[in-house]
């Protein structure tokens, strides 16, 4: 039996399929999940629901949230949105991106990896020093040391490693010329300098 095709059928283009994450894209997806989960407390605290904060976060910060101090509530909203942006970057690193978007993804991924690992290592190192009796902490923060040592520090490190793995896989898969690698290095170096400046000045 012959099958006849009309002129319209022959001219109609084949449907385009949306790009799918490649096998091995799990680091980017892990970074995305990490960002979304981390955004939940920020949005919840911004809305006045400080669940989990009273025993794991500095009392002074909890008071700012409870008192609905305008600038601090704004910071919480912005922080939550930045974490969502981080999740989008993680998803973006699972697919082929060209031009400026691809370079921006790698730049942000390298920067996020360094910032998060640095922050987490500081929490862990400080917590260990306090637990060993080498360091000291204000009396009202004494009960929080182990939370920063065992929860927040490792949580930041895990997020940073996820972004590092996602960025590295993305670059290795697509960077034939070495251009993306340079953008990732610049992002990582910028984040490192920002972290050092923050530690030296005590801001952040």
């Amino acid at each position: 039996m012959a099958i006849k095709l009309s002129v319209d059928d022959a001219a109609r283009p084949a449907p385009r399929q949306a790009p799918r994450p490649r096998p091995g894209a799990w680091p980017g997806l892990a970074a995305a999940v990490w960002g979304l989960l981390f955004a939940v407390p920020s949005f919840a605290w911004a809305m006045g629901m400080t669940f989990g904060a009273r025993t794991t976060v500095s009392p002074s910060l909890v008071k700012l949230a409870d008192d609905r101090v305008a600038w601090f509530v704004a910071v919480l909203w912005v922080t939550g949105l930045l974490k969502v942006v981080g999740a989008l970057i993680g998803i973006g690193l699972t697919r082929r991106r060209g031009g400026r978007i691809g370079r921006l993804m790698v730049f942000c991924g390298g920067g996020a990896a360094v910032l998060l690992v640095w922050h987490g290592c500081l929490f862990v190192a400080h917590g260990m020093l306090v637990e060993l009796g080498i360091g000291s902490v204000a009396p009202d923060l004494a009960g929080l040391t182990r939370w920063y040592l065992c929860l927040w520090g490792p949580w930041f490190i895990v997020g940073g490693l996820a972004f590092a793995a996602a960025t590295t896989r993305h670059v290795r898969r697509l960077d034939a010329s070495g251009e993306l690698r340079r953008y990732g290095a610049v992002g990582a170096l910028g984040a490192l300098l920002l972290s050092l400046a923050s530690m030296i000045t005590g801001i952040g």
Side-chain angles (χ1 to χ4, degrees):
M1 180 177 66
I3 300 177
K4 294 183 179 180
L5 296 176
S6 67
V7 176
D8 291 339
D9 291 335
R12 185 180 298 121
R16 298 180 61 183
Q17 293 183 350
R20 297 180 180 180
R22 290 189 177 188
W26 62 266
L29 297 177
V33 171
W34 181 93
L36 292 176
L37 289 177
F38 202 21
V40 171
S42 295
F43 289 136
W45 297 344
M47 291 185 290
M49 297 178 290
T50 54
F51 66 93
R54 299 184 184 282
T55 56
T56 63
V57 179
S58 171
S60 61
L61 298 181
V62 175
K63 188 176 188 306
L64 289 173
D66 284 339
D67 294 344
R68 312 299 296 156
V69 177
W71 68 265
F72 186 71
V73 173
V75 167
L76 290 173
W77 281 111
V78 171
T79 302
L81 290 174
L82 288 176
K83 293 171 184 177
V84 172
V85 171
L88 295 177
I89 292 172
I91 293 174
L93 289 170
T94 65
R95 298 176 179 177
R96 180 183 294 273
R97 306 287 178 181
R100 294 180 179 178
I101 295 180
R103 294 191 291 268
L104 180 62
M105 289 290 176
V106 173
F107 176 84
C108 292
V114 171
L115 277 176
L116 293 172
V117 171
W118 174 275
H119 220 58
C121 287
L122 285 181
F123 284 157
V124 171
H126 183 260
M128 290 181 64
L129 291 175
V130 173
E131 290 297 313
L132 293 174
I134 301 175
S136 60
V137 67
D140 61 329
L141 301 178
L144 301 176
T145 301
R146 292 185 180 178
W147 284 109
Y148 280 86
L149 171 62
C150 301
L151 174 63
W152 296 120
W155 176 257
F156 275 88
I157 292 173
V158 167
L161 293 178
F163 277 102
T167 304
T168 300
R169 282 176 176 266
H170 185 84
V171 169
R172 285 180 177 176
R173 191 169 64 234
L174 302 176
D175 192 23
S177 65
E179 181 184 19
L180 288 179
R181 189 175 290 107
R182 290 192 292 273
Y183 276 88
V186 170
L189 179 60
L192 179 59
L193 293 176
L194 180 62
S195 299
L196 289 171
S198 175
M199 183 180 69
I200 294 172
T201 61
I203 301 174

